[in-house]
Amino acid sequence: MIIKLLFTMTVTAPTFLSLGLIGIVKNSDKYFEAWNRILQNCEVPISFEWWGISISFLYMLICLIWIGIYLKHKSLKQKESKTIKVQSYSIMSQSGIDQVLSSIIPWLTIFADQLDFLVLFMCVVLQCCFITIAGYNNNSYNLLCSILGYRYYEVYTEENTYMLLSKKSIRNRNEIKRFVEVTDYMGLIINS
């Protein structure tokens, strides 16, 4: 259950990356000036904007590293793998459009002259909470998996439909023989 929640929460990381980048684009002088004071004088900034931008980047980095390690760890779990007899499959290339849009929407605020970063940060946090809640019991496309080079496949068997990830490009249904569960609703194809 904890792994499933963590995996679902990583779906929100690109939105936080957008938030951090927006903060830098809008106030790069103040942000880098604060970093300069930290590095030269060990002076910790008190600006919420600086902390919000830094936390956004840190969250994205932690999620990217965690999901990379988690998927690598899962790919080595040969003993946990399950056999699958595939009838057909399809590449799920359009599945992430909603997530890409959620990462782009904060960029619309770049044109606002007087933007309170605290309000924007809280709106993004609430949006990400809704995304996490909505994606918890669904097949969630995860943009970080795509960034790390994984492809999404919808795999059909006689009994079920699975969402499976693979670093290898699948060109034939016979290449999909085994998978290991990543979450309740997603798996990782084990390549021989």
Side-chain angles (χ1 to χ4, degrees):
M1 185 167 128
I2 298 290
I3 295 296
K4 182 178 164 183
L5 179 64
L6 288 173
F7 195 83
T8 305
M9 286 176 57
T10 63
V11 170
T12 64
T15 305
F16 278 98
L17 175 63
S18 292
L19 178 67
L21 291 172
I22 290 165
I24 287 180
V25 167
K26 300 253 332 151
N27 267 329
S28 62
D29 293 339
K30 287 182 183 178
Y31 183 75
F32 292 118
E33 205 174 278
W35 268 109
N36 194 26
R37 284 194 307 272
I38 291 170
L39 296 173
Q40 289 181 351
N41 306 332
C42 296
E43 184 181 317
V44 179
I46 57 172
S47 161
F48 178 82
E49 188 169 342
W50 183 88
W51 282 100
I53 293 168
S54 299
I55 288 169
S56 295
F57 287 139
L58 183 63
Y59 179 71
M60 173 64 181
L61 182 63
I62 289 170
C63 287
L64 190 63
I65 291 169
W66 180 82
I67 206 163
I69 291 170
Y70 178 66
L71 291 176
K72 182 67 175 170
H73 173 74
K74 277 297 199 178
S75 72
L76 301 174
K77 296 282 187 170
Q78 298 281 339
K79 291 181 182 176
E80 292 179 13
S81 68
K82 298 177 181 181
T83 305
I84 189 170
K85 185 169 170 127
V86 177
Q87 290 185 325
S88 65
Y89 75 97
S90 63
I91 299 171
M92 298 179 62
S93 57
Q94 279 75 31
S95 298
I97 291 178
D98 54 343
Q99 191 179 81
V100 171
L101 284 177
S102 101
S103 298
I104 291 173
I105 288 173
W107 284 97
L108 298 176
T109 63
I110 201 135
F111 302 109
D113 290 333
Q114 297 298 320
L115 177 67
D116 185 359
F117 193 78
L118 175 60
V119 172
L120 179 60
F121 187 82
M122 293 312 295
C123 288
V124 167
V125 168
L126 286 174
Q127 172 193 359
C128 290
C129 287
F130 290 134
I131 290 170
T132 302
I133 291 167
Y136 185 72
N137 285 321
N138 295 319
N139 292 338
S140 295
Y141 180 86
N142 194 320
L143 197 55
L144 294 183
C145 293
S146 294
I147 289 170
L148 292 171
Y150 289 92
R151 295 169 179 86
Y152 280 82
Y153 295 94
E154 193 165 20
V155 177
Y156 307 96
T157 66
E158 201 170 291
E159 305 86 33
N160 290 316
T161 301
Y162 298 94
M163 181 190 296
L164 299 178
L165 296 166
S166 177
K167 272 223 178 199
K168 180 183 173 203
S169 180
I170 304 296
R171 301 196 192 281
N172 183 325
R173 69 183 171 106
N174 295 327
E175 293 178 58
I176 308 170
K177 295 179 181 172
R178 302 186 70 71
F179 76 98
V180 63
E181 286 186 355
V182 173
T183 67
D184 296 345
Y185 307 98
M186 187 181 301
L188 183 63
I189 296 172
I190 302 294
N191 297 315
S192 301

